[in-house]
Amino acid sequence: MIVDTMEAARLIKSGRNVAIPTETVYGLAADATNAIAVRNTFRLKKRPADNPLIVHLSGTDQIKLFSDADPALYRKLTATFWPGPLTLILQRKNSVLDIITAGLDTVALRMPDHPKALEIIGRAGPVTAPSANVSGRPSPTKPAHVIEDFGDEVPVVDGGECRVGIESTVLDLTHSEPVILRPGQLSADEISRCIGRPVTAGMKHPSQSLKSPGTRYTHYTPKAVVRWMTDSTRYKPSESAFYIFHTAEPETSGKDQNLVHFHGEFHKMARALYDLYRTADQHKFSEIWIEPLPSTTSHPILPALQDRIERSAAQ
Ligand code: TXA
Ligand code: MG
């Protein structure tokens, strides 16, 4: 069921979960002050209770509702990148609901860059919003994806196709050095330039699995098996395999239904990835082969693309 922003805000205030558009992916929004509504988010998504949620704000002034951290710690970042695809991990206030933080002493905060999201949060107040997919499925970048996972159980606000297409960069500011727990469109370099300090890309470090619980779980997986292409598994016309190329190679007849080229446009590839996963499933492809990403090109979104594809290929 599609609802407008006014109705969405009303439903959220009455304790319902509503899917709302953001610039990254659709989020399953619930009133961040209503423990029953937030608990229902975990039930709907079949999400493990030890995986904390991001609180979405409509203004930087709302940070202090959730954290007493010194504003000097985040002011430059929020001034530069909010609203935008950057989630900040800060020490939490005691008043933050335990169910949101999964009992951690920190809280995740972000201000999404989508007019409809900002309008809804402006009316309803801060909301928790994990990606609006059933846990383990690819994140939704279109209203149809949310409906595919939840049917009539979740009303959806239509904000079109998400501009970024993969989830926000998660930056932990609770240590002496800022650590990226989840790479996103906003790169370590851009963050580092903003604050004039080095930023650790902490994703791969095993100790991070405890700090960012979500990174432990199966993620972003279509039903089809996702594999990196090798020399011996490059394109061949096939009924059962779908191929994703970031280059213009190989040249084909143009009539082939089972491949897509991104011609080096990595933002476009990130925007399309989850939709391609879902489309490949609908067309009953059993394999998705992806051309290995270049290690020589330093496009800012490459680490995030590599991360998401690796996670879906890791099964
Ligand atoms: O782009 C996004 O961030 C989207 C849109 C809807 O805003 N939301 C999103 O939420 O991706 P979710 O729940 O799918 O992912 C949240 C991630 C998880 O990996 C979770 O473990 C981590 O953020 N996280 C949340 N709170 C945390 C905390 N206090 N400390 C460390 N990691 C945290
Ligand atoms: Mg998610």
Side-chain angles (χ1 to χ4, degrees):
M1 184 198 7
I2 301 287
V3 296
D4 65 16
T5 50
M6 286 266 273
E7 178 68 356
R10 195 189 65 74
L11 288 168
I12 290 167
K13 286 195 79 130
S14 77
R16 288 283 301 273
N17 279 237
V18 179
I20 66 170
T22 82
E23 81 282 28
T24 56
V25 301
Y26 277 74
L28 187 57
D31 178 351
T33 64
N34 182 338
I36 296 171
V38 178
R39 191 164 299 121
N40 202 29
T41 305
F42 283 86
R43 184 190 63 82
L44 284 165
K45 274 182 65 76
K46 303 189 175 76
R47 181 178 177 107
D50 62 353
N51 190 3
L53 305 180
I54 300 170
V55 178
H56 291 57
L57 313 173
S58 58
T60 48
D61 53 320
Q62 292 166 340
I63 295 173
K64 58 182 186 301
L65 299 172
F66 298 89
S67 177
D68 286 327
D70 182 354
L73 190 64
Y74 54 76
R75 200 182 282 125
K76 268 193 184 158
L77 288 166
T78 54
T80 310
F81 299 121
W82 279 14
L86 173 66
T87 295
L88 299 178
I89 308 291
L90 298 172
Q91 289 298 327
R92 63 176 273 197
K93 280 172 101 159
N94 280 335
S95 55
V96 180
L97 297 176
D98 281 328
I99 186 159
I100 294 178
T101 67
L104 296 176
D105 56 6
T106 56
V107 64
L109 301 173
R110 119 169 172 91
M111 180 178 171
D113 187 15
H114 194 293
K116 289 194 175 181
L118 292 174
E119 193 191 322
I120 293 162
I121 301 164
R123 287 177 192 277
V127 297
T128 48
S131 49
N133 54 288
V134 170
S135 280
R137 300 267 299 140
S139 293
T141 57
K142 295 176 175 174
H145 299 163
V146 180
I147 294 165
E148 190 174 57
D149 280 15
F150 295 108
D152 289 335
E153 259 195 304
V154 172
V156 186
V157 174
D158 187 351
E161 185 179 3
C162 298
R163 173 166 58 77
V164 176
I166 56 174
E167 305 81 354
S168 61
T169 306
V170 177
L171 182 70
D172 188 348
L173 292 177
T174 65
H175 302 281
S176 49
E177 192 163 291
V179 181
I180 291 183
L181 300 180
R182 180 176 73 183
Q185 186 196 53
L186 190 63
S187 68
D189 271 0
E190 285 168 282
I191 294 169
S192 176
R193 251 181 279 133
C194 169
I195 55 180
R197 297 174 55 195
V199 173
T200 314
M203 272 305 306
K204 295 271 163 55
H205 199 277
S207 68
Q208 288 307 325
S209 60
L210 282 176
K211 280 294 293 180
S212 193
T215 57
R216 277 203 312 273
Y217 297 106
T218 309
H219 270 76
Y220 324 112
T221 41
K223 296 187 186 92
V225 176
V226 178
R227 294 268 184 269
W228 293 111
M229 278 175 218
T230 60
D231 284 342
S232 60
T233 57
R234 282 183 78 84
Y235 180 73
K236 43 185 177 304
S238 159
E239 304 263 289
S240 62
F242 188 81
Y243 293 82
I244 301 175
F245 290 90
H246 61 79
T247 57
E249 299 291 326
E251 276 190 38
T252 58
S253 67
K255 291 200 256 5
D256 309 82
Q257 297 295 305
N258 70 325
L259 83 166
V260 59
H261 292 120
F262 286 98
H263 303 273
E265 293 184 75
F266 295 109
H267 279 301
K268 207 169 156 189
M269 185 169 172
R271 198 179 302 141
L273 185 70
Y274 294 147
D275 185 51
L276 285 173
Y277 281 178
R278 285 176 180 264
T279 311
D281 279 350
Q282 281 158 8
H283 290 88
K284 308 263 189 287
F285 288 107
S286 54
E287 297 161 15
I288 299 170
W289 292 94
I290 303 181
E291 184 180 20
L293 299 173
S295 49
T296 46
T297 320
S298 66
H299 191 286
I301 207 167
L302 278 177
L305 253 182
Q306 179 79 26
D307 171 72
R308 300 310 190 276
I309 296 170
E310 256 169 35
R311 281 164 191 285
S312 48
Q315 307 314 307

